[in-house]
Amino acid sequence: MKTGAAFAVYAAASYAVLQRINDVVPEPYMDEIFHVLQAQRYCAGEFYEWDPKLTTPPGLYLASLVLRLCGLSCSVPNLRLVNWVLGLGLFWTIYRLVHRLHSSSTCAAAATMMLAMLPVPFFCNHLYYTDTASLLCVLLTYLLSLQQRHTAAAVVGGLSLWMRQTNVVWVALIGASAALHLHAREIISARNALSLQQSVVQLSGWATRWSNWRKSAAVWAPYAAVVALFGGFVMANGGIVLGDKQHHQAGLHLPQLFYFYAYTCVLSMPTVALALSRLAHSIRQRSKCAIVGCVAVVAIMAVCVKYFTVEHPFLLSDNRHYPFYIWKNLFRRHWTLRFLAIPFYLAAGHLVHASMRTYASPLWQLMWAACTAAVLVPSPLLEFRYFTVPFFLARLHMPLSSVRLIAIEFALFVLTNAVTIWVFLYRPFKWDSEPNSWQRFMW
């Protein structure tokens, strides 16, 4: 499929979804209630009015001022249209990243179409949420960095912080990766034969020479400036969260990493399944020391599950989100199920990293995993939207060359989108506490 044709099909299908949501759900829904009201305040020039329930910066509301420049009102359909347009920009950003990271692939358009249909972000593209703008800014930062346009990348990375504060972690990852690619290519390259231990040793030697930092300053300094400015904001604000700090307090939710790997493995199953044979082979070839090490990892994971599982009040009370039902019907059905899932978490982590091996070095994978942990572990709330950016960075570094596998993933995504959007639109329900309002299922 030609890229232009793929884009036209995607844009038409996405616009049809947008129009249908506007027809069936014309009023702001759930978090839209807060976002739409704040955007309309900005459109009215009330820039000093702020809803304390909002926890993210005003980047999306400022971007929505383009409606006023075009002579349009900041109505709910028009605000959703802003996100839809950002979703189109996301499509082309994904395409350029696929083309850049998989230059030998002959199915970049199909791979882009598949990734653009990822259920959670595709759903958010049609509501007035900050997720689309946040993901677009992070991926565009990565693309500009790969194109060696580091000042532009840092600027866009700075803009990403106006969409979501935790994007500072991805700006740091992209900056570190860019600096290493410039002066330690043999360490960071996916084509090297170095193990993680060898890479870390060589990196330590590289990092202890001040001349290397000085020579690479033109690369890492713009990103470091963004991170430093954000650090100043955190100090001035007294924390990373804006507004409703009571329900968004940082903690130590270690099993978030386990849920993320399971999520990534399930959504990428057709591709990660290719690594199953290597997993089976490694299990058969395990030495006694490796088996002992594996048992120790399982034991540590069990401790994390027992002592660091967090049940956020929103997770237990809000039956409009799918994680509520996963938690209620799986992990709360019997206490042992939380522990029985540990082997699956371990296998999922192995499969995800094994699938990234061709396109990401062990060192890059370690940095990505550390950044993923930095974003997810402090969050007490299990919400799939938080997994979107690390998932994309991982999936872009997995194989995208098999038309058959891409078609399978695409079909699964389309089916998931069709079901979840249909349920959202046509299977509403009511709470006894709010008999006059329809509630809807969503991610």
Side-chain angles (χ1 to χ4, degrees):
M1 179 184 288
K2 297 290 187 180
T3 308
F7 174 73
V9 170
Y10 171 81
S14 180
Y15 188 74
V17 172
L18 176 67
Q19 289 297 92
R20 198 61 190 149
I21 289 178
N22 284 334
D23 291 341
V24 178
V25 193
E27 299 299 322
Y29 181 69
M30 204 173 292
D31 289 0
E32 277 191 318
I33 296 171
F34 309 106
H35 294 308
V36 167
L37 180 59
Q38 190 63 47
Q40 290 174 341
R41 286 173 176 161
Y42 274 42
C43 288
E46 300 172 2
F47 297 105
Y48 297 101
E49 295 289 330
W50 184 261
D51 188 335
K53 289 188 177 297
L54 290 169
T55 61
T56 51
L60 181 60
Y61 319 135
L62 292 171
S64 300
L65 292 176
V66 71
L67 292 172
R68 298 302 304 272
L69 296 178
C70 296
L72 300 173
S73 67
C74 292
S75 62
V76 175
N78 286 343
L79 289 171
R80 289 173 177 170
L81 184 65
V82 170
N83 249 16
W84 178 77
V85 172
L86 292 174
L88 300 185
L90 181 60
F91 180 97
W92 285 108
T93 303
I94 294 171
Y95 172 74
R96 297 304 304 169
L97 279 168
V98 170
H99 193 266
R100 187 84 185 186
L101 294 169
H102 302 265
S103 56
S104 61
S105 176
T106 57
C107 47
T112 301
M113 178 74 92
M114 178 269 291
L115 289 170
M117 295 299 292
L118 183 68
V120 176
F122 182 79
F123 187 92
C124 292
N125 288 353
H126 306 97
L127 297 175
Y128 193 63
Y129 274 49
T130 60
D131 300 74
T132 303
S134 172
L135 177 62
L136 172 61
C137 286
V138 172
L139 294 187
L140 184 57
T141 300
Y142 191 33
L143 174 62
L144 291 169
S145 176
L146 292 175
Q147 294 173 341
Q148 307 302 315
R149 299 162 63 184
H150 299 296
T151 300
V155 169
V156 176
L159 291 177
S160 76
L161 305 187
W162 284 78
M163 308 301 173
R164 185 160 290 168
Q165 300 95 311
T166 52
N167 287 341
V168 69
V169 175
W170 306 119
V171 173
L173 171 65
I174 293 168
S177 180
L180 290 174
H181 267 293
L182 183 65
H183 286 289
R185 190 179 301 274
E186 69 280 2
I187 303 175
I188 199 72
S189 173
R191 295 176 176 81
N192 71 64
L194 296 176
S195 67
L196 177 59
Q197 183 178 1
Q198 292 170 324
S199 297
V200 171
V201 170
Q202 289 201 15
L203 177 62
S204 300
W206 179 90
T208 55
R209 292 191 290 272
W210 170 246
S211 59
N212 289 332
W213 289 96
R214 180 168 43 82
K215 292 176 183 177
S216 61
V219 173
W220 60 260
Y223 305 98
V226 173
V227 175
L229 287 172
F230 181 77
F233 157 77
V234 172
M235 293 180 64
N237 185 57
I240 191 173
V241 177
L242 293 171
D244 189 10
K245 293 182 172 67
Q246 179 180 355
H247 292 110
H248 293 82
Q249 296 179 354
L252 198 61
H253 192 184
L254 295 176
Q256 281 273 46
L257 268 182
F258 310 157
Y259 310 145
F260 168 74
Y261 277 114
Y263 171 90
T264 302
C265 186
V266 169
L267 287 182
S268 308
M269 183 54 70
T271 296
V272 301
L274 296 174
L276 280 172
S277 60
R278 290 197 293 269
L279 175 60
H281 177 75
S282 65
I283 292 174
R284 289 194 298 268
Q285 299 298 318
R286 291 286 183 186
S287 65
K288 290 183 178 180
C289 290
I291 292 173
V292 171
C294 187
V295 171
V297 170
V298 170
I300 293 172
M301 293 174 71
V303 170
C304 292
V305 168
K306 181 172 178 58
Y307 294 106
F308 295 97
T309 295
V310 178
E311 293 184 320
H312 194 280
F314 290 172
L315 177 64
L316 300 178
S317 62
D318 195 340
N319 65 343
R320 297 170 295 182
H321 290 288
Y322 293 121
F324 169 88
Y325 296 94
I326 294 174
W327 202 263
K328 172 177 172 285
N329 297 319
L330 183 62
F331 295 120
R332 281 209 147 203
R333 185 169 293 276
H334 197 275
W335 66 270
T336 58
L337 293 177
R338 301 186 188 187
F339 297 93
L340 291 175
I342 289 175
F344 173 68
Y345 298 148
L346 188 59
H350 178 92
L351 291 173
V352 167
H353 283 283
S355 299
M356 296 168 65
R357 185 170 61 180
T358 303
Y359 298 95
S361 69
L363 181 59
W364 191 92
Q365 291 189 48
L366 176 63
M367 294 193 304
W368 166 82
C371 289
T372 300
V375 169
L376 297 181
V377 168
S379 174
L381 180 61
L382 170 59
E383 189 161 350
F384 294 143
R385 291 188 299 132
Y386 300 163
F387 296 167
T388 298
V389 172
F391 174 88
F392 260 95
L393 292 175
R395 188 64 188 86
L396 284 165
H397 289 87
M398 294 181 189
L400 287 170
S401 57
S402 169
V403 175
R404 181 175 63 87
L405 293 178
I406 290 173
I408 294 173
E409 283 189 62
F410 174 75
L412 292 174
F413 289 173
V414 169
L415 177 62
T416 303
N417 283 323
V419 171
T420 53
I421 292 172
W422 182 84
V423 169
F424 174 76
L425 292 174
Y426 303 115
R427 283 294 179 268
F429 62 98
K430 290 185 176 181
W431 287 342
D432 293 337
S433 58
E434 298 181 24
N436 297 322
S437 300
W438 287 108
Q439 309 301 328
R440 299 177 184 277
F441 297 104
M442 60 187 297
W443 291 106

